[in-house]
Amino acid sequence: MEYNFRSIEQKWQQHWKDTNAYRVLNNSTKPKYYVLDMFPYPSGAGLHVGHPLGYIASDIFARFKRLKGFNVLHPMGYDAFGLPAEQYAIDHGVHPAVSTDHNIKNFRAQLDNIGFCFDWEREVRTSDAGYYKWTQWIFLQLFKSFYNRTSSKAESIDVLVASFEKEGNSVHPIPGAQYQLPGGGNTFTAAQWKAFDEFTQQSILMEYRLAFCGYGEVNWCEGLGTVLANDEVINGVSERGGFPVVKKKLRQWYLRITEYADRLLDGLQHVDFSDAMKEMQTNWIGKSYGAEIDFQVQGQSAGTNLRVYTTRPDTIFGVDFMVVAPEHELITTIASASQKQEVEDYIAYVKSRSERERMAEKKITGCFTGAYAVNPFNGKQIPIWISEYVLAGYGTGAIMAVPCGDERDFKFAQHFNIPITNIIGDAFNGEEANATKDAKLVNSDFLNGMVMRDAIGVVIGKLEEMGIGKRKVNYRMRDAAFSRQRYWGEPFPIKWINGIAYPLDEKELPLQLPHVEKYGPGPEGEGPLANIPEWTARHLETNTMPGYAGSSWYFLRYMDPHNDQAFCDRKVSDYWGQVDLYIGGTEHAVGHLLYSRLWTKVLFDLGHIGHDEPYKKLVNQGMIQGSSRFVYRVQGTTNKYVSYGLKDQYETNQLHVDVNIVDGVELDTEAFKKWRADYADAEFILEDGKYICGVEVEKMSKSKFNTVNPNDLVERYGADTFRMYEMFLGPVEQSKPWDTKGIEGVHRFLRKLWRLFFDEVKGAVWTNDKATDAELKVLHKTIRKIEDDTERFSFNTAVSAFMVCVNELGELKCSKKEILESLLILLTPYAPHVAEELWHELGNTGSVLDAAYPVFQEKYVVETTKEYPVSINGKLRTTMHIDLSAEQAAVEQLVLANEIVQKWVEGKPVKKFVFVKGKMVNVVV
RNA sequence: GCCCUGGUGGUGGAAUUGGUAGACACGCAGGACUUAAAAUCCUGUUCGCCGCAAACGCGAGUGCGGGUUCAAGUCCCGCCCGGGGCACCA
């Protein structure tokens, strides 16, 4: 009887399906464990061997936890809305719903092939109305909430309104500093609030809502009648058609994620993410501590101040000029008559440049306004410049420039010949800025002699005393744009009437995405929904939600996927709680992870769930790179190819060749001729009768012909081999190249395992004999190793531990049920099909999926002697078997009597004798 | 430029707390079985030196240069190279 993996795998997959082996219940006496894979987008290209890596790892872990007695939730679903499907629809005339459905079918077939233990009854798709009903519902919660800065959490907007009616906005000032009420200013009393008309009231509330609508700058292309992404704009004109593109403020939905900046930062201390991941999120949030300082502008009325943000108030005596962003509102007020034309020209120039150009070119540009600010401490006049290196959206959109301490300021000063004041003495060399905080200040009036680090607080204190500055924390993170002018996404449950956004009643959800035939943009940068008369007649919002809407909360829906009364029953989310293990790539470091953390915090604040961090532990799987193969076409010929080893004798061109027609490095020349029509009459210059290909590691991609389809490998070696090989390749977190050839080693291992049970001629060879000490030792060593390795996600070493175990049992000629049965349970997470088959062959009737995990017993692995390495002066010279209970004195005697040791010691006195019990011996002479 | 990673045989990788570097595989070489091939199995395989050869032995060796230690792939200091992220954030 031989290892017929095809029929075995088919049989058990069918059996598990028939018996609902992977169904998970929401109530259990067992402890819970939640294993989640990052939501895949079902692309039309299908899976290559790089994709399932994380799924296999999570599957192994889920099965392991199940064997260890946990109730394990391990679901899968699809992030089905999104731009690619819509783009495909536009290009091919297939409705996104149709192509998405088709892609999901293929995706599912590929997944099933690998034998995952997903509970498919819990599958979710973000594009299903039953799902996005709740995405819309959560959006409404965001819309109807504000961030209460006094309680530091989201609360109902009703709380805010009640406060307004009682005390105006004195308790809850408007979060956006720039906002101006229709009559100017940004504070109001209770009486004023009550007197505002509805439009004004709603406009004010919009300034607080966690999901809000505002105006944002976008690239508007009149010629194409649409908004363009940054990468679709080149040199100020559209990539397609060359039409001019201008920055335009357009209505957009946003999430007020900035209010959660601190909590998102703090939360990182309570989750188990890699340092790199925490670092990326921390940088993205970009918290900085500094001060806002008001500078009087010369010749302007007392109220017209230039407010700057700086993290280095200690350098205030080194300020040689001010720089404001080109968008700064004060420019028109302060620009002098003589500079007016120059300023206008400069602003026009900046407007013509896209964000991308601005960043790519990094030219030093700028323009003097003709106005001067006054240094509040010494009355010095400071010229005010405009430059695009200062960003309107950060801080106050204006800075005080200190060229001796800031590289950008230094370069600007040099470029425009602005004299530089040195306030750090020898620490400034005149060649480049020095951003130190440890220098002693000079030329700094009352700060002279003080270390900069200490001066920061002193200056802020003084500014506050004078009433012209205050401590200020800033964040780099901006509010998240939450609308797309696209079709294939969740419609917003919002109606617009007279410029006021009204939420739909929850009973009206889901607001169904209407069917359309065309996906072209609507007028004035609106989405395709604006082209549907029935839609606009209902005054419905025409934008749709972005891709990350549905994926921000899907981990909650898996818990209770069919509930049509709530997004997830509170009792159910309390039972499952956080995702215990989340596996996925690093590409979602700041997008998806930050958004889903935000949504979780809001839902927690509003009392809908009981935890405020979605993921307890995050593991990032590495990428599997492609290993490309090349053939070398001789130059001057149309179809003559020279083998790798001989190519230096010719002038050649290197061409990618499909890795699937190469065995290791040897090209299948017949397959090559059949591969593409123009290679049909190819000729080869061989070495040793073979055509050897060149090899290079590159990204795995169709265009490089280095993709490998898991289906082909499963067909040839079986799912169990494939799963184990993906793990055997190396640590999950690490990127590594794919090498199909290596899979045979894992396949051989499974056949070796099989032969412990069955002989090709004799049939079953396993016995009920009592296991020997040596056999039990092999088994228990393996139990310990597999358990440890699996717990710490070291799946590659676990696979080799299985190999070692089977090799050793083979040497011992051990085919005893007592040993093999336990081994099968250990193997179940990794190779479930063959484990289940052999489990039944041993006479078990239940499924191995629910067997009791073997318990490691120390007594079987205790050693009495150890082969000690013996070094002389740190160099290994020999090894000696010594009783483990032996103490230093006895060992010393034994070792020094050893012939080889004596030879090396050569009668010299022993200076030191190092003995670490159970480890090693070192003789120092 | 800044931050985070990593660098070990021909290849993927192992060495969990400083204690026998190269586990386990791939590849390669040789052998067995076979008319032959495939499959399978066995042996060898870090490099160098000595040697007809094997055994044994010796020397070097974890990107480079220093250091700490009885002992360093592992710890410290200074470099070099690859991968990833951020990039006018004041």
Side-chain angles (χ1 to χ4, degrees):
Chain A
M1 202 167 137
E2 63 178 81
Y3 173 39
N4 188 341
F5 55 84
R6 274 192 209 99
S7 62
I8 290 171
E9 291 179 0
Q10 234 169 39
K11 174 168 108 193
W12 291 110
Q13 283 182 11
Q14 190 58 48
H15 179 81
W16 292 326
K17 201 170 160 186
D18 294 343
T19 55
N20 277 315
Y22 300 135
R23 175 184 279 165
V24 182
L25 300 177
N26 284 344
N27 46 62
S28 167
T29 51
K30 296 177 189 172
K32 70 95 189 183
Y33 200 88
Y34 189 175
V35 180
L36 183 63
D37 296 287
M38 278 189 191
F39 222 13
Y41 171 77
S43 112
L47 295 175
H48 63 59
V49 290
H51 295 115
L53 184 75
Y55 304 154
I56 294 171
S58 63
D59 195 71
I60 288 171
F61 205 76
R63 290 173 181 275
F64 171 72
K65 280 287 175 185
R66 174 170 174 169
L67 288 170
K68 295 285 268 178
F70 288 82
N71 185 31
V72 181
L73 180 56
H74 185 219
M76 180 51 83
Y78 307 98
D79 191 11
F81 271 138
L83 253 156
E86 188 165 354
Q87 214 53 50
Y88 187 87
I90 293 167
D91 296 343
H92 295 86
V94 181
H95 194 276
V98 175
S99 61
T100 302
D101 200 57
H102 176 81
N103 292 347
I104 287 177
K105 279 204 181 73
N106 286 340
F107 204 90
R108 172 68 189 273
Q110 281 187 298
L111 290 181
D112 281 348
N113 218 0
I114 303 170
F116 292 120
C117 66
F118 298 123
D119 177 0
W120 284 107
E121 289 179 9
R122 292 174 183 263
E123 177 193 314
V124 301
R125 300 180 186 191
T126 53
S127 59
D128 278 352
Y131 183 90
Y132 69 69
K133 169 182 176 176
W134 297 107
T135 308
Q136 292 171 334
W137 183 86
I138 296 172
F139 170 83
L140 288 181
Q141 308 314 304
L142 290 159
F143 180 79
K144 294 181 200 168
S145 311
F146 78 112
Y147 192 79
N148 184 338
R149 291 186 180 180
T150 53
S151 61
S152 296
K153 61 177 204 161
E155 286 175 22
S156 166
I157 204 93
D158 299 338
V159 172
L160 185 67
V161 172
S163 166
F164 286 172
E165 285 170 353
K166 200 171 132 213
E167 58 234 342
N169 73 340
S170 57
V171 178
H172 302 292
I174 296 173
Q178 285 87 356
Y179 184 78
Q180 297 277 308
L181 291 164
N186 54 16
T187 57
F188 52 83
T189 63
Q192 282 174 308
W193 168 258
K194 285 174 195 154
F196 289 140
D197 60 16
E198 190 189 3
F199 182 83
T200 307
Q201 284 188 338
Q202 288 301 327
S203 301
I204 292 168
L205 289 178
M206 200 59 112
E207 290 296 310
Y208 291 83
R209 296 181 188 277
L210 290 179
F212 67 99
C213 201
Y215 282 82
E217 292 233 324
V218 290
N219 299 308
W220 173 252
C221 177
E222 189 63 47
L224 294 172
T226 184
V227 165
L228 296 176
N230 280 337
D231 55 351
E232 295 170 319
V233 184
I234 294 166
N235 292 327
V237 298
S238 65
E239 185 185 17
R240 263 189 234 166
F243 300 106
V245 174
V246 292
K247 294 248 174 70
K248 188 169 182 174
K249 285 206 162 182
L250 271 184
R251 196 173 56 75
Q252 299 282 327
W253 284 92
Y254 294 89
L255 298 185
R256 209 177 292 282
I257 191 170
T258 48
E259 290 289 316
Y260 276 87
D262 268 326
R263 281 178 57 191
L264 288 168
L265 216 46
D266 293 343
L268 289 176
Q269 291 175 2
H270 309 291
V271 293
D272 186 2
F273 293 6
S274 71
D275 289 342
M277 183 63 54
K278 289 184 180 181
E279 189 79 20
M280 273 189 245
Q281 295 203 8
T282 304
N283 289 343
W284 183 262
I285 294 167
K287 185 173 187 173
S288 77
Y289 301 87
E292 275 182 2
I293 307 173
D294 288 333
F295 287 82
Q296 225 174 50
V297 182
Q298 202 160 54
Q300 299 287 330
S301 61
T304 314
N305 290 328
L306 179 62
R307 177 170 288 185
V308 303
Y309 174 71
T310 178
T311 55
R312 298 296 302 275
D314 54 309
T315 60
I316 191 148
F317 290 98
V319 178
D320 291 314
F321 53 99
M322 300 286 183
V323 188
V324 301
E327 297 86 353
H328 202 278
E329 52 179 10
L330 217 54
I331 292 173
T332 47
T333 323
I334 63 170
S336 71
S338 58
Q339 289 296 107
K340 202 168 178 215
Q341 190 56 46
E342 208 182 310
V343 167
E344 275 173 15
D345 290 349
Y346 181 68
I347 290 173
Y349 160 78
V350 171
K351 272 206 175 136
S352 74
R353 277 155 60 85
S354 70
E355 198 77 13
R356 172 169 272 228
E357 287 172 275
R358 231 170 110 158
M359 294 193 167
E361 291 179 23
K362 284 202 181 166
K363 281 195 293 196
I364 298 172
T365 68
C367 165
F368 179 46
T369 60
Y372 293 86
V374 182
N375 187 317
F377 293 123
N378 61 7
K380 187 178 156 189
Q381 290 190 14
I382 308 164
I384 302 174
W385 287 69
I386 307 169
S387 176
E388 53 184 338
Y389 86 84
V390 172
L391 306 176
Y394 184 77
T396 60
I399 61 154
M400 54 180 226
V402 182
C404 74
D406 183 284
E407 198 52 42
R408 295 153 302 179
D409 299 346
F410 181 82
K411 288 198 172 129
F412 191 85
Q414 267 194 328
H415 190 262
F416 289 105
N417 284 316
I418 301 169
I420 295 170
T421 307
N422 180 13
I423 52 162
I424 51 177
D426 295 344
F428 178 60
N429 62 9
E431 301 284 312
E432 58 184 352
N434 184 350
T436 180
K437 283 183 185 171
D438 298 316
K440 275 193 179 156
L441 286 160
V442 297
N443 286 332
S444 291
D445 203 306
F446 65 95
L447 299 173
N448 280 339
M450 201 178 284
V451 174
M452 303 177 93
R453 196 179 292 282
D454 305 327
I456 295 175
V458 174
V459 174
I460 294 177
K462 192 106 179 172
L463 290 167
E464 284 178 338
E465 205 180 292
M466 295 164 73
I468 54 167
K470 59 173 196 276
R471 223 169 270 280
K472 173 83 183 172
V473 170
N474 252 316
Y475 300 92
R476 181 156 55 203
M477 184 170 64
R478 310 293 160 78
D479 283 330
F482 194 67
S483 48
R484 299 292 180 264
Q485 294 72 43
R486 290 291 184 157
Y487 166 71
W488 192 235
E490 300 86 348
F492 284 89
I494 292 288
K495 263 182 193 175
W496 287 94
I497 295 167
N498 300 326
I500 299 174
Y502 293 98
L504 296 191
D505 193 284
E506 286 172 15
K507 288 200 249 354
E508 295 178 75
L509 302 182
L511 173 61
Q512 297 257 8
L513 184 66
H515 187 86
V516 298
E517 295 299 334
K518 283 186 183 156
Y519 318 96
E524 282 296 305
E526 288 184 86
L529 293 179
N531 294 328
I532 304 174
E534 307 87 77
W535 193 263
T536 51
R538 291 164 66 193
H539 308 289
L540 290 164
E541 167 66 57
T542 56
N543 284 318
T544 54
M545 297 189 203
Y548 66 81
S551 60
S552 288
W553 71 283
Y554 74 112
F555 52 93
L556 294 167
R557 189 61 179 171
Y558 281 137
M559 299 172 181
D560 198 8
H562 308 295
N563 192 335
D564 58 4
Q565 300 303 307
F567 70 95
C568 177
D569 189 272
R570 178 66 198 259
K571 281 203 285 295
V572 175
S573 63
D574 280 347
Y575 171 70
W576 288 111
Q578 282 177 293
V579 173
D580 294 282
L581 173 66
Y582 196 29
I583 297 191
T586 47
E587 65 272 21
H588 299 110
V590 291
H592 160 66
L593 282 170
L594 226 40
Y595 298 129
S596 54
R597 291 182 60 219
L598 170 72
W599 285 45
T600 302
K601 287 182 189 302
V602 175
L603 290 172
F604 170 78
D605 287 352
L606 298 177
H608 298 298
I609 54 175
H611 51 95
D612 86 331
E613 279 292 342
Y615 318 113
K616 195 186 226 164
K617 180 177 176 65
L618 174 69
V619 170
N620 294 112
Q621 92 259 19
M623 243 198 306
I624 291 193
Q625 295 146 316
S627 182
S628 303
R629 296 291 182 275
F630 297 94
V631 292
Y632 301 90
R633 184 166 63 202
V634 179
Q635 253 181 32
T637 70
T638 50
N639 244 339
K640 193 166 197 171
Y641 303 87
V642 58
S643 184
Y644 180 77
L646 304 171
K647 76 177 166 59
D648 292 343
Q649 300 166 23
Y650 302 83
E651 286 284 303
T652 58
N653 292 322
Q654 173 176 291
L655 304 170
H656 275 100
V657 58
D658 187 345
V659 294
N660 295 292
I661 57 170
V662 181
D663 180 20
V665 291
E666 187 184 347
L667 180 71
D668 179 342
T669 53
E670 287 312 306
F672 181 74
K673 289 180 184 176
K674 283 183 209 138
W675 181 36
R676 294 214 307 226
D678 40 331
Y679 295 148
D681 53 353
E683 293 172 53
F684 303 96
I685 302 169
L686 306 175
E687 50 184 313
D688 302 331
K690 294 171 180 173
Y691 188 97
I692 304 300
C693 294
V695 177
E696 242 176 70
V697 172
E698 302 179 289
K699 200 179 145 83
M700 194 171 274
S701 109
K702 283 235 153 109
S703 64
K704 297 185 167 70
F705 301 108
N706 61 8
T707 58
V708 179
N709 187 332
N711 284 356
D712 296 343
L713 296 170
V714 170
E715 170 63 24
R716 219 160 51 181
Y717 301 101
D720 287 334
T721 297
F722 177 70
R723 291 164 61 100
M724 291 191 90
Y725 183 57
E726 286 249 340
M727 293 298 104
F728 186 61
L729 229 39
V732 234
E733 294 100 326
Q734 203 171 297
S735 289
K736 58 249 157 185
W738 178 261
D739 171 24
T740 297
K741 196 81 184 163
I743 198 171
E744 285 171 14
V746 174
H747 192 60
R748 272 179 211 133
F749 152 74
L750 286 178
R751 298 168 70 129
K752 259 193 233 176
L753 170 82
W754 187 264
R755 284 201 302 271
L756 293 178
F757 295 76
F758 293 103
D759 184 279
E760 268 179 58
V761 190
K762 289 184 270 185
V765 293
W766 58 271
T767 67
N768 284 308
D769 297 349
K770 189 98 189 67
T772 65
D773 286 350
E775 291 162 350
L776 283 165
K777 187 169 168 182
V778 169
L779 174 66
H780 281 268
K781 255 177 24 193
T782 306
I783 294 173
R784 179 170 58 187
K785 178 89 175 133
I786 297 298
E787 205 174 330
D788 275 11
D789 285 355
T790 308
E791 289 280 10
R792 63 192 177 93
F793 310 104
S794 179
F795 304 116
N796 57 326
T797 52
V799 173
S800 66
F802 280 121
M803 290 173 170
V804 171
C805 177
V806 165
N807 288 347
E808 289 181 352
L809 292 179
E811 270 163 41
L812 293 170
K813 303 219 176 342
C814 170
S815 285
K816 292 165 183 165
K817 180 175 172 180
E818 185 184 349
I819 301 290
L820 297 179
E821 202 166 55
S822 292
L823 176 60
L824 288 179
I825 302 170
L826 297 180
L827 187 66
T828 297
Y830 292 81
H833 309 86
V834 71
E836 184 82 292
E837 174 73 11
L838 291 171
W839 177 255
H840 281 81
E841 288 294 345
L842 288 183
N844 292 290
T845 48
S847 171
V848 74
L849 301 180
D850 290 309
Y853 205 79
V855 178
F856 168 70
Q857 283 177 278
E858 187 78 42
K859 66 177 178 190
Y860 293 117
V861 299
V862 284
E863 311 256 354
T864 52
T865 68
K866 149 125 190 130
E867 186 183 10
Y868 277 95
V870 178
S871 301
I872 287 69
N873 285 339
K875 274 200 196 310
L876 180 75
R877 295 304 177 186
T878 186
T879 59
M880 291 173 72
H881 284 277
I882 301 174
D883 203 291
L884 262 172
S885 61
E887 297 297 334
Q888 169 120 9
V891 172
E892 202 166 328
Q893 208 173 22
L894 264 169
V895 168
L896 292 178
N898 181 283
E899 202 181 318
I900 298 167
V901 174
Q902 282 187 346
K903 190 183 113 193
W904 283 96
V905 171
E906 292 174 319
K908 288 180 235 159
V910 174
K911 260 203 254 172
K912 193 169 179 185
F913 190 92
V914 182
F915 170 67
V916 181
K917 203 171 181 179
K919 290 275 187 193
M920 45 66 69
V921 172
N922 189 15
V923 185
V924 186
V925 296

